[in-house]
Amino acid sequence: MANNLNSSYKLSGKKWLIILLSNLIAYCCLIMPGVQIPDSLIFDENHPSLIAAGFQILVVTVFLVIQIIGVQIATGHKWQQLFHAPHAKEWLWVLVFFILAYFVSVVSGAISQKLFGAVSGNAAAGLTMSTPHVWLIFIYQRFSSAIQILGEEFLAIMPLLAVTQLADSIHMPHPLFWGNIASALIFALLHLSTYDYNLGYVILGLAFTRLVLNWAFIKTHNIWVSFLVHFLFDTLAFLVLLLVTK
């Protein structure tokens, strides 16, 4: 499977550096505004203004577009090979991997909480049923999250492909294993601020779920599949959180 993955997305080291640099720049654009902008531009249950909503859409769109541009500069139109409309069998895989991701997340999350303590979770947890226009805000957040989640898929899958190719080129055993480890760790560490900088929690609690998402991509060679699994997983998690929050 690793050889199949390498042959499909084999690039020079220089091109991988361009892609990974675009990942880094995009991530910096995603996190820097949260430090610099006033609270009034942060879209949440306390500031549900059109200006804040528009700013959030702008930030996540820049986060995604920079990564797409980086991949396009490095590969030309070949980057579009990462996407195709899911066919019937791939929709079935979306369902299978969604169920698997949810199961893995529940188990790893429970173990992480027991070992490393509870965390506050995502900022969207502040939304409650008593929030004015709660469902409108929820739908908007899902739309904004869809853009960001697609960017997160680039942020996780590009290192997966790059490290897998690097490990294969230097004849390391099981190159796909190393690609998955790098991808899962990067994905987990990027969520440190979301989970109170609890290193043990994010590594154990998120890395295994990321491996399931990677598997969805590896199985189908289609980012839309891993994106859909990721989006459905997040949507269900936030919906459950919203419904149980008083």
Side-chain angles (χ1 to χ4, degrees), residues 4-243:
N4 187 23
L5 202 64
N6 287 336
S7 62
S8 298
Y9 307 109
K10 190 170 185 178
L11 298 172
S12 68
K14 180 180 179 180
K15 290 181 177 180
W16 276 123
L17 284 176
I18 292 173
I19 292 172
L20 296 178
L21 181 60
S22 73
N23 292 151
L24 180 60
I25 293 173
Y27 180 70
C28 289
C29 290
L30 181 67
I31 63 172
M32 286 177 64
V35 178
Q36 297 174 346
I37 66 171
D39 287 344
S40 60
L41 288 182
I42 299 175
F43 184 90
D44 58 23
E45 70 282 358
N46 296 316
H47 312 94
S49 68
L50 289 176
I51 294 176
F55 186 82
Q56 180 169 310
I57 292 293
L58 175 63
V59 170
V60 295
T61 300
V62 168
F63 170 62
L64 173 60
V65 169
I66 288 175
Q67 295 183 86
I68 292 176
I69 290 173
V71 176
Q72 184 163 15
I73 290 173
T75 68
H77 293 297
K78 290 183 178 180
W79 73 274
Q80 297 174 6
Q81 294 177 4
L82 294 165
F83 297 90
H84 60 262
H87 49 68
K89 188 175 181 180
E90 288 180 338
W91 281 106
L92 180 60
W93 281 122
V94 169
L95 177 61
V96 169
F97 283 111
F98 167 67
I99 295 172
L100 181 59
Y102 191 79
F103 174 77
V104 169
S105 175
V106 169
V107 173
S108 62
I111 295 174
S112 299
Q113 185 167 329
K114 187 174 182 64
L115 292 177
F116 304 107
V119 294
S120 62
N122 195 281
L127 190 65
T128 70
M129 292 298 291
S130 62
T131 303
H133 310 296
V134 57
W135 291 114
L136 183 61
I137 295 174
F138 178 80
I139 291 170
Y140 165 79
Q141 286 181 337
R142 291 298 85 212
F143 173 72
S144 173
S145 292
I147 302 172
Q148 181 171 331
I149 285 170
L150 186 55
E152 289 182 4
E153 286 305 300
F154 273 92
L155 206 59
I157 288 174
M158 294 304 108
L160 165 68
L161 298 174
V163 174
T164 298
Q165 182 179 314
L166 174 62
D168 186 59
S169 67
I170 60 178
H171 308 294
M172 292 179 67
H174 311 296
L176 189 55
F177 169 81
W178 299 109
N180 270 302
I181 291 297
S183 172
L185 287 177
I186 289 171
F187 181 80
L189 293 174
L190 292 179
H191 288 79
L192 265 175
S193 61
T194 303
Y195 295 95
D196 303 333
Y197 296 92
N198 189 325
L199 181 62
Y201 186 96
V202 297
I203 291 179
L204 182 58
L206 298 184
F208 288 99
T209 305
R210 182 64 244 177
L211 291 176
V212 175
L213 298 175
N214 285 353
W215 190 9
F217 171 76
I218 293 166
K219 182 70 178 179
T220 62
H221 287 207
N222 189 356
I223 282 186
W224 284 129
V225 173
S226 59
F227 161 77
L228 286 168
V229 175
H230 192 165
F231 177 75
L232 291 173
F233 173 84
D234 272 22
T235 298
L236 178 62
F238 289 142
L239 182 60
V240 169
L241 184 64
L242 174 61
L243 293 176

